[in-house]
């Protein structure tokens, strides 16, 4: 007996039945991968919460550094009047220390500075200066602060009357093996040479 050809609707029914067979659960055919799951059951990516994002970042170190604006020549600090004024260098007394050192006098409140800096103050008061009269006007002033390798060097000038005198400075601490020095600004300036012996600059500390 000759079988009748299948109708178009019968072909579609058979095709749908084949698509719903046992191979539908095979990972190779489904587009899913069994390797994507984390065996611990934890999510693959940790999602930050809003409260965590609001937390400020932790500081890199616990040391408070002094702002660069504070490391400069200053007019508001000087050697205290009742403090000893021995000749540290030629014609000049120099004090190096912490901001609260009693040998310093501040015109305003003592600033809070980090441990990465030191305060320097200079004065010619009561310091003998060969070749100059005792009552001669003397106004040593810090003209510049420079770092030369591990050393910190302050240049001292003779300031003309009427100009604000820079009697102090906040300077970086010297590096390993370094020191604080002062030197004169030009050959005619009497301040800042070694108190004894020769040399272009005087070691303070």
């Amino acid at each position: 007996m000759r079988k009748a050809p299948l109708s178009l609707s019968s072909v579609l029914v058979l095709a749908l039945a084949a698509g719903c067979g046992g191979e539908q659960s095979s990972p190779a055919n489904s587009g899913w991968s069994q390797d994507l799951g984390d065996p611990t059951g934890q999510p693959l990516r940790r999602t930050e919460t809003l409260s965590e994002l609001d937390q400020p970042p932790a500081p890199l170190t616990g040391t408070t550094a002094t702002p660069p604006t504070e490391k400069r020549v200053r007019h508001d600090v000087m050697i205290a009047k009742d403090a000893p004024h021995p000749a540290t260098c030629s014609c000049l007394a120099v004090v190096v220390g912490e901001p609260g050192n009693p040998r310093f006098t501040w015109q305003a409140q003592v600033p809070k500075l980090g441990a990465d800096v030191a305060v320097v103050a200079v004065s010619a008061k009561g310091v003998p200066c060969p070749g100059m009269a005792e009552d001669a006007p003397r106004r040593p002033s810090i003209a510049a602060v420079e770092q030369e390798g591990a050393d910190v060097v302050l240049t001292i000038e003779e300031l003309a009357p009427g100009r604000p005198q820079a009697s102090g400075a906040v300077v970086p601490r010297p590096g390993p093996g370094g020191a604080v020095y002062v030197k004169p600004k030009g050959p005619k300036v009497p301040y800042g040479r070694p108190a004894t012996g020769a040399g272009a600059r005087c070691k303070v500390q």
Side-chain angles (χ1 to χ4, degrees):
M1 173 189 259
R2 185 177 181 182
K3 295 182 179 180
L6 295 175
S7 65
L8 179 58
S9 58
S10 300
V11 173
L12 291 177
V13 170
L14 291 175
L16 289 174
C20 297
E23 292 185 355
Q24 64 177 353
S25 60
S26 171
N29 296 335
S30 64
W32 292 91
S33 172
Q34 293 177 340
D35 297 332
L36 291 179
D38 186 345
T40 65
Q42 298 297 321
L44 297 179
R45 180 178 181 276
R46 181 175 177 271
T47 303
E48 298 85 357
T49 64
L50 183 60
S51 60
E52 290 173 335
L53 296 176
D54 289 342
Q55 295 296 324
L60 295 179
T61 65
T63 303
T64 302
T66 302
T69 53
E70 295 291 338
K71 301 175 185 178
R72 57 184 172 85
V73 170
R74 301 184 70 119
H75 307 275
D76 59 346
V77 61
M78 60 193 71
I79 299 178
K81 293 181 179 180
D82 57 351
H85 284 62
T88 310
C89 302
S90 63
C91 307
L92 193 68
V94 186
V95 175
V96 180
E98 304 293 333
N101 190 315
R103 296 184 66 187
F104 294 136
T105 293
W106 294 84
Q107 294 180 1
Q109 186 177 3
V110 179
K112 294 180 180 180
L113 304 174
D116 57 330
V117 297
V119 178
V120 182
V122 302
S123 175
K125 180 184 177 182
V127 181
C129 191
M132 294 186 68
E134 189 174 342
D135 58 350
R138 296 162 59 189
R139 304 187 74 225
S141 183
I142 302 172
V145 178
E146 300 173 293
Q147 287 186 280
E148 298 180 5
D151 298 330
V152 176
V153 183
L154 289 79
T155 301
I156 310 298
E157 65 178 339
E158 180 74 85
L159 199 65
R163 294 177 58 192
Q165 188 176 0
S167 54
V170 173
V171 303
R173 289 193 178 276
V180 176
Y181 291 86
V182 295
K183 67 178 183 179
K185 185 180 180 181
K188 296 183 178 181
V189 177
Y191 315 110
R193 294 180 178 85
T196 58
R201 62 185 190 177
C202 173
K203 184 177 180 180
V204 178
Q205 189 182 71

